[in-house]
Amino acid sequence: MKFFVRTFGCQMNENDSEHIAGILAACGAERVASPGEADVVIVNTCAVRGKSEEKLFSYLGRLSSLKAERPILIGVAGCVAQIQRGTLLRKRPFIDFVVGPDNYRELPAIVERASTGPCLATGRGRAWREFSSAETLRESPASAFVTVMEGCDSFCAYCVVPFSRGREKFRPLASILREVRELAAAGYKEVQFLGQNVNSYRDPESGRGLPGLLDEACAAPGLEWVRFITSHPGKFGDDLIEAMERNRKVCRALHLPLQSGSSAVLERMARGYRWEDYAALVGRLRRALPGLLLATDIIVGFPGETEEDFEATLEALRRVRFAGLFSFRFSPRPLTAAGRMKDDVPFEVKRRRLLELQALQKTIQTEIFRLFVGQELKVLALGPSPKGGGRFQGRTEGNLVVNFAAPRVVPGEFVAVRVTGCGPYSLHGELAN
Ligand code: SAM
Ligand code: SF4
């Protein structure tokens, strides 16, 4: 059997797809590079915004045309699968199976059952679902995702994740450390711990939190960079800052979603912090961790967002000076509190605010990036640059993308790159020496 997995959404979905591929490969199936070569196509989906669902349904439409030409099995996995369940099979009868995040283990049996009729597997489990290294077919030879927790108990008003991923579940510390040591021994120089709210991690056995996990992981010989994403700003304790301070392997880069610079909007979003708390946290982090680069997420047009609220978000960007921004128009989601609020910011206003926000960020980012021109940076080589021209791409400790000229690089190796210029989204350079 030949299979193809297409992934939409976040890094956790990317890591889940690596498990999906690993589980099928462990049973003798072969992964192929395009749906045209596959007997089974699995689409791992994201439900976070209406736009992600639209992209999914247009992709599914293309798969149904492929199925009209030759027999293939089409499966839908991930967050949309978990939320829409049987509705997907009813509304799109060309789908053969629907599998939720707690059911990937059963995929070989599900695929077999689906060859005789539609199959639904979206049962929920409270226990952590463990995957062995044989059940993980990694995409990147350079950086390894390691999911340490799943689900979320925060219930931010706009967010569907607590419904698609369920309540928080934590992976045992011992099993995370076993995997980290295996990865380091296999030559991985970087691991990225993943969780929707990664700083609420607790070892189910000892109760140790993320600071303890960082201490232990950094002791793995060979490992050089450790990252963790995504952190909730309302739950970022001083103990975590101290753990970053004492472990130099923990990269001086954080993804710290702000969502809005207006405390009134943050309150309606049920984020659990005010703008002042966020600003104070950034101050503590920057004092403790010189050179720290921050990236954030912002939603514009949340119900009731006024021009003053939006102006507060622009001001927050000017004050914090993020090195990266993921920005979104508010999109009402099923089951969420904000999905029941009046979506009263007109589309055109959301669009204008998004463009304004992105224009400001582009200016700030270019200013930050210019400071690196002329410096020599340690860069983790990822592979050929998607920009082509025989160039390579890598990332810095601060998580900045660098495109650089080099005769040859090995993905996963560190190289020294002299930065010769920059655009708004990446640095350019050449191999030093
Ligand atoms: N757990 C992370 C956190 O606490 O910020 C983020 C998880 S969410 C998958 C990624 C980002 O999508 C959020 O930070 C938010 O900016 C955005 N997002 C989530 N729901 C959204 C919605 N309904 N409309 C627009 N953007 C949304
Ligand atoms: Fe969604 Fe909020 Fe949980 Fe992040 S913390 S996953 S935004 S509910």
PDB file of all heavy atoms in Angstrom, residues 48 151-162 196-197 230 232 235 259 270-271, ligand 2:
ATOM      1  N   VAL A  48      -8.727  25.964  13.151  1.00  0.00           N
ATOM      2  CA  VAL A  48      -8.567  27.164  13.961  1.00  0.00           C
ATOM      3  C   VAL A  48      -9.269  28.396  13.383  1.00  0.00           C
ATOM      4  O   VAL A  48      -9.814  29.211  14.113  1.00  0.00           O
ATOM      5  CB  VAL A  48      -7.059  27.360  14.260  1.00  0.00           C
ATOM      6  CG1 VAL A  48      -6.557  28.743  13.975  1.00  0.00           C
ATOM      7  CG2 VAL A  48      -6.797  27.010  15.708  1.00  0.00           C
ATOM      8  N   GLY A 151      -3.851  19.318  24.000  1.00  0.00           N
ATOM      9  CA  GLY A 151      -5.115  19.819  24.525  1.00  0.00           C
ATOM     10  C   GLY A 151      -4.918  21.125  25.261  1.00  0.00           C
ATOM     11  O   GLY A 151      -3.790  21.607  25.418  1.00  0.00           O
ATOM     12  N   CYS A 152      -6.023  21.699  25.716  1.00  0.00           N
ATOM     13  CA  CYS A 152      -5.929  22.989  26.373  1.00  0.00           C
ATOM     14  C   CYS A 152      -7.110  23.190  27.309  1.00  0.00           C
ATOM     15  O   CYS A 152      -8.239  22.850  26.968  1.00  0.00           O
ATOM     16  CB  CYS A 152      -5.914  24.089  25.309  1.00  0.00           C
ATOM     17  SG  CYS A 152      -5.679  25.706  26.042  1.00  0.00           S
ATOM     18  N   ASP A 153      -6.813  23.738  28.501  1.00  0.00           N
ATOM     19  CA  ASP A 153      -7.875  24.013  29.477  1.00  0.00           C
ATOM     20  C   ASP A 153      -8.187  25.504  29.559  1.00  0.00           C
ATOM     21  O   ASP A 153      -8.936  25.930  30.436  1.00  0.00           O
ATOM     22  CB  ASP A 153      -7.436  23.544  30.886  1.00  0.00           C
ATOM     23  CG  ASP A 153      -7.333  22.023  30.977  1.00  0.00           C
ATOM     24  OD1 ASP A 153      -7.688  21.348  29.994  1.00  0.00           O
ATOM     25  OD2 ASP A 153      -6.899  21.516  32.032  1.00  0.00           O
ATOM     26  N   SER A 154      -7.590  26.308  28.677  1.00  0.00           N
ATOM     27  CA  SER A 154      -7.719  27.763  28.836  1.00  0.00           C
ATOM     28  C   SER A 154      -9.043  28.327  28.327  1.00  0.00           C
ATOM     29  O   SER A 154      -9.501  29.345  28.822  1.00  0.00           O
ATOM     30  CB  SER A 154      -6.570  28.482  28.131  1.00  0.00           C
ATOM     31  OG  SER A 154      -5.380  28.255  28.819  1.00  0.00           O
ATOM     32  N   PHE A 155      -9.615  27.733  27.301  1.00  0.00           N
ATOM     33  CA  PHE A 155     -10.880  28.208  26.746  1.00  0.00           C
ATOM     34  C   PHE A 155     -10.871  29.711  26.433  1.00  0.00           C
ATOM     35  O   PHE A 155     -11.745  30.455  26.896  1.00  0.00           O
ATOM     36  CB  PHE A 155     -12.057  27.868  27.675  1.00  0.00           C
ATOM     37  CG  PHE A 155     -12.366  26.399  27.686  1.00  0.00           C
ATOM     38  CD1 PHE A 155     -11.782  25.566  28.639  1.00  0.00           C
ATOM     39  CD2 PHE A 155     -13.209  25.834  26.750  1.00  0.00           C
ATOM     40  CE1 PHE A 155     -12.052  24.198  28.647  1.00  0.00           C
ATOM     41  CE2 PHE A 155     -13.484  24.468  26.756  1.00  0.00           C
ATOM     42  CZ  PHE A 155     -12.906  23.653  27.707  1.00  0.00           C
ATOM     43  N   CYS A 156      -9.871  30.181  25.701  1.00  0.00           N
ATOM     44  CA  CYS A 156      -9.925  31.560  25.203  1.00  0.00           C
ATOM     45  C   CYS A 156     -11.190  31.663  24.357  1.00  0.00           C
ATOM     46  O   CYS A 156     -11.547  30.705  23.648  1.00  0.00           O
ATOM     47  CB  CYS A 156      -8.686  31.873  24.384  1.00  0.00           C
ATOM     48  SG  CYS A 156      -7.177  31.685  25.348  1.00  0.00           S
ATOM     49  N   ALA A 157     -11.848  32.827  24.420  1.00  0.00           N
ATOM     50  CA  ALA A 157     -13.202  32.914  23.872  1.00  0.00           C
ATOM     51  C   ALA A 157     -13.277  32.590  22.378  1.00  0.00           C
ATOM     52  O   ALA A 157     -14.294  32.103  21.902  1.00  0.00           O
ATOM     53  CB  ALA A 157     -13.754  34.315  24.132  1.00  0.00           C
ATOM     54  N   TYR A 158     -12.203  32.872  21.639  1.00  0.00           N
ATOM     55  CA  TYR A 158     -12.236  32.706  20.176  1.00  0.00           C
ATOM     56  C   TYR A 158     -11.824  31.314  19.716  1.00  0.00           C
ATOM     57  O   TYR A 158     -11.963  30.973  18.552  1.00  0.00           O
ATOM     58  CB  TYR A 158     -11.266  33.733  19.523  1.00  0.00           C
ATOM     59  CG  TYR A 158      -9.890  33.700  20.147  1.00  0.00           C
ATOM     60  CD1 TYR A 158      -8.970  32.731  19.775  1.00  0.00           C
ATOM     61  CD2 TYR A 158      -9.539  34.595  21.146  1.00  0.00           C
ATOM     62  CE1 TYR A 158      -7.729  32.658  20.381  1.00  0.00           C
ATOM     63  CE2 TYR A 158      -8.298  34.537  21.755  1.00  0.00           C
ATOM     64  CZ  TYR A 158      -7.405  33.569  21.367  1.00  0.00           C
ATOM     65  OH  TYR A 158      -6.185  33.491  21.976  1.00  0.00           O
ATOM     66  N   CYS A 159     -11.295  30.467  20.615  1.00  0.00           N
ATOM     67  CA  CYS A 159     -10.471  29.336  20.171  1.00  0.00           C
ATOM     68  C   CYS A 159     -11.189  27.987  20.228  1.00  0.00           C
ATOM     69  O   CYS A 159     -11.778  27.604  21.241  1.00  0.00           O
ATOM     70  CB  CYS A 159      -9.208  29.282  21.012  1.00  0.00           C
ATOM     71  SG  CYS A 159      -8.047  28.062  20.417  1.00  0.00           S
ATOM     72  N   VAL A 160     -11.050  27.237  19.151  1.00  0.00           N
ATOM     73  CA  VAL A 160     -11.729  25.950  19.025  1.00  0.00           C
ATOM     74  C   VAL A 160     -10.873  24.794  19.586  1.00  0.00           C
ATOM     75  O   VAL A 160     -11.374  23.682  19.782  1.00  0.00           O
ATOM     76  CB  VAL A 160     -12.095  25.733  17.523  1.00  0.00           C
ATOM     77  CG1 VAL A 160     -10.885  25.295  16.708  1.00  0.00           C
ATOM     78  CG2 VAL A 160     -13.251  24.780  17.347  1.00  0.00           C
ATOM     79  N   VAL A 161      -9.584  25.090  19.880  1.00  0.00           N
ATOM     80  CA  VAL A 161      -8.658  24.018  20.264  1.00  0.00           C
ATOM     81  C   VAL A 161      -9.138  23.175  21.462  1.00  0.00           C
ATOM     82  O   VAL A 161      -9.065  21.941  21.415  1.00  0.00           O
ATOM     83  CB  VAL A 161      -7.231  24.579  20.502  1.00  0.00           C
ATOM     84  CG1 VAL A 161      -6.333  23.562  21.191  1.00  0.00           C
ATOM     85  CG2 VAL A 161      -6.608  24.998  19.176  1.00  0.00           C
ATOM     86  N   PRO A 162      -9.672  23.788  22.551  1.00  0.00           N
ATOM     87  CA  PRO A 162     -10.122  22.940  23.662  1.00  0.00           C
ATOM     88  C   PRO A 162     -11.213  21.944  23.236  1.00  0.00           C
ATOM     89  O   PRO A 162     -11.391  20.918  23.887  1.00  0.00           O
ATOM     90  CB  PRO A 162     -10.673  23.952  24.679  1.00  0.00           C
ATOM     91  CG  PRO A 162      -9.954  25.227  24.360  1.00  0.00           C
ATOM     92  CD  PRO A 162      -9.787  25.224  22.867  1.00  0.00           C
ATOM     93  N   GLN A 196       0.005  23.038  23.087  1.00  0.00           N
ATOM     94  CA  GLN A 196      -0.838  24.216  22.845  1.00  0.00           C
ATOM     95  C   GLN A 196      -0.550  25.285  23.892  1.00  0.00           C
ATOM     96  O   GLN A 196      -0.667  26.465  23.634  1.00  0.00           O
ATOM     97  CB  GLN A 196      -2.320  23.838  22.909  1.00  0.00           C
ATOM     98  CG  GLN A 196      -2.922  23.533  21.564  1.00  0.00           C
ATOM     99  CD  GLN A 196      -2.760  22.069  21.213  1.00  0.00           C
ATOM    100  OE1 GLN A 196      -2.591  21.234  22.085  1.00  0.00           O
ATOM    101  NE2 GLN A 196      -2.819  21.758  19.940  1.00  0.00           N
ATOM    102  N   ASN A 197      -0.207  24.827  25.057  1.00  0.00           N
ATOM    103  CA  ASN A 197       0.062  25.699  26.190  1.00  0.00           C
ATOM    104  C   ASN A 197       1.259  25.108  26.897  1.00  0.00           C
ATOM    105  O   ASN A 197       1.175  24.653  28.020  1.00  0.00           O
ATOM    106  CB  ASN A 197      -1.137  25.586  27.137  1.00  0.00           C
ATOM    107  CG  ASN A 197      -1.756  26.913  27.369  1.00  0.00           C
ATOM    108  OD1 ASN A 197      -1.067  27.907  27.424  1.00  0.00           O
ATOM    109  ND2 ASN A 197      -3.063  26.905  27.525  1.00  0.00           N
ATOM    110  N   THR A 230       3.831  26.466  22.163  1.00  0.00           N
ATOM    111  CA  THR A 230       3.682  27.902  22.315  1.00  0.00           C
ATOM    112  C   THR A 230       3.453  28.217  23.791  1.00  0.00           C
ATOM    113  O   THR A 230       2.750  27.465  24.472  1.00  0.00           O
ATOM    114  CB  THR A 230       2.441  28.373  21.520  1.00  0.00           C
ATOM    115  OG1 THR A 230       2.628  28.047  20.147  1.00  0.00           O
ATOM    116  CG2 THR A 230       2.229  29.845  21.638  1.00  0.00           C
ATOM    117  N   HIS A 232       1.919  30.365  26.990  1.00  0.00           N
ATOM    118  CA  HIS A 232       0.831  31.273  27.360  1.00  0.00           C
ATOM    119  C   HIS A 232       1.406  32.359  28.261  1.00  0.00           C
ATOM    120  O   HIS A 232       1.975  32.042  29.315  1.00  0.00           O
ATOM    121  CB  HIS A 232      -0.269  30.496  28.077  1.00  0.00           C
ATOM    122  CG  HIS A 232      -1.520  31.293  28.242  1.00  0.00           C
ATOM    123  ND1 HIS A 232      -1.580  32.412  29.042  1.00  0.00           N
ATOM    124  CD2 HIS A 232      -2.744  31.167  27.683  1.00  0.00           C
ATOM    125  CE1 HIS A 232      -2.799  32.933  28.976  1.00  0.00           C
ATOM    126  NE2 HIS A 232      -3.521  32.190  28.150  1.00  0.00           N
ATOM    127  N   LYS A 235       0.831  32.386  32.043  1.00  0.00           N
ATOM    128  CA  LYS A 235       1.290  31.262  32.874  1.00  0.00           C
ATOM    129  C   LYS A 235       2.798  31.129  32.832  1.00  0.00           C
ATOM    130  O   LYS A 235       3.344  30.057  33.061  1.00  0.00           O
ATOM    131  CB  LYS A 235       0.644  29.965  32.376  1.00  0.00           C
ATOM    132  CG  LYS A 235      -0.867  30.017  32.516  1.00  0.00           C
ATOM    133  CD  LYS A 235      -1.575  28.903  31.815  1.00  0.00           C
ATOM    134  CE  LYS A 235      -3.078  29.128  31.910  1.00  0.00           C
ATOM    135  NZ  LYS A 235      -3.840  28.345  30.968  1.00  0.00           N
ATOM    136  N   GLN A 259      -2.200  38.542  21.262  1.00  0.00           N
ATOM    137  CA  GLN A 259      -3.587  38.560  20.729  1.00  0.00           C
ATOM    138  C   GLN A 259      -4.159  39.967  20.585  1.00  0.00           C
ATOM    139  O   GLN A 259      -4.766  40.269  19.568  1.00  0.00           O
ATOM    140  CB  GLN A 259      -4.562  37.677  21.543  1.00  0.00           C
ATOM    141  CG  GLN A 259      -4.110  36.264  21.835  1.00  0.00           C
ATOM    142  CD  GLN A 259      -3.804  35.392  20.619  1.00  0.00           C
ATOM    143  OE1 GLN A 259      -3.957  35.809  19.495  1.00  0.00           O
ATOM    144  NE2 GLN A 259      -3.341  34.175  20.844  1.00  0.00           N
ATOM    145  N   ALA A 270     -10.990  36.389  27.308  1.00  0.00           N
ATOM    146  CA  ALA A 270     -10.711  35.486  28.443  1.00  0.00           C
ATOM    147  C   ALA A 270      -9.271  34.993  28.428  1.00  0.00           C
ATOM    148  O   ALA A 270      -8.988  33.824  28.669  1.00  0.00           O
ATOM    149  CB  ALA A 270     -11.686  34.296  28.444  1.00  0.00           C
ATOM    150  N   ARG A 271      -8.327  35.922  28.126  1.00  0.00           N
ATOM    151  CA  ARG A 271      -6.928  35.521  28.055  1.00  0.00           C
ATOM    152  C   ARG A 271      -6.277  35.408  29.432  1.00  0.00           C
ATOM    153  O   ARG A 271      -5.207  34.809  29.577  1.00  0.00           O
ATOM    154  CB  ARG A 271      -6.131  36.524  27.196  1.00  0.00           C
ATOM    155  CG  ARG A 271      -6.356  36.357  25.719  1.00  0.00           C
ATOM    156  CD  ARG A 271      -5.784  35.060  25.194  1.00  0.00           C
ATOM    157  NE  ARG A 271      -4.335  35.093  25.018  1.00  0.00           N
ATOM    158  CZ  ARG A 271      -3.610  34.034  24.669  1.00  0.00           C
ATOM    159  NH1 ARG A 271      -4.186  32.848  24.506  1.00  0.00           N
ATOM    160  NH2 ARG A 271      -2.310  34.125  24.504  1.00  0.00           N
TER     161      ARG A 271
HETATM  162 FE1  SF4 B   2      -6.564  28.260  22.117  1.00  0.00          FE
HETATM  163 FE2  SF4 B   2      -6.229  29.892  24.221  1.00  0.00          FE
HETATM  164 FE3  SF4 B   2      -5.736  27.284  24.465  1.00  0.00          FE
HETATM  165 FE4  SF4 B   2      -4.105  28.816  23.004  1.00  0.00          FE
HETATM  166  S1  SF4 B   2      -4.457  29.004  25.225  1.00  0.00           S
HETATM  167  S2  SF4 B   2      -4.917  26.789  22.419  1.00  0.00           S
HETATM  168  S3  SF4 B   2      -5.515  30.248  22.103  1.00  0.00           S
HETATM  169  S4  SF4 B   2      -7.732  28.214  24.084  1.00  0.00           S
END
